[in-house]
Amino acid sequence: YDYDFMEEIKLGEGADGYPDLVNKLKHRFDYLPLHRACYFQSYHTLQDNIDSIQKITMADPAACSKVDFLGMTPLHILALSQ
């Protein structure tokens, strides 16, 4: 049985093999601070999140429309985080 994991998952479209996928996921938000803030929002208070989002968007007004390697915006990340 020859099963290619990367062929079966949509994530595989954004990576050149399993090691590359793992690396991209580990560094997914390295240059996307608003994505990171939205992803880890459950670890912080509401006020801390508001302050972080304001600081990030004031420094980079285009941050809201940037996408990660999966094509997700910060709003996508926020909607899927817990």
Side-chain angles (χ1 to χ4, degrees), residues 20-71:
D20 185 44
L21 175 61
V22 171
N23 188 53
K24 283 185 175 183
L25 288 171
K26 282 182 179 179
H27 300 284
R28 184 175 174 191
F29 307 134
D30 284 358
Y31 302 102
L32 298 167
L34 186 56
H35 286 67
R36 184 182 305 111
C38 290
Y39 185 83
F40 290 108
Q41 54 80 27
S42 65
Y43 295 95
H44 304 284
T45 67
L46 176 60
Q47 189 59 54
D48 286 345
N49 286 321
I50 291 170
D51 293 343
S52 293
I53 290 169
Q54 286 178 335
K55 181 179 176 184
I56 293 165
T57 55
M58 289 176 82
D60 181 8
C64 295
S65 60
K66 291 182 179 179
V67 295
D68 64 10
F69 85 100
L70 298 172

Side-chain angles (χ1 to χ4, degrees), residues 4-17:
D4 187 353
F5 177 72
M6 295 300 290
E7 293 284 324
E8 296 295 323
I9 61 170
K10 189 170 179 87
L11 287 174
E13 295 174 10
D16 297 322

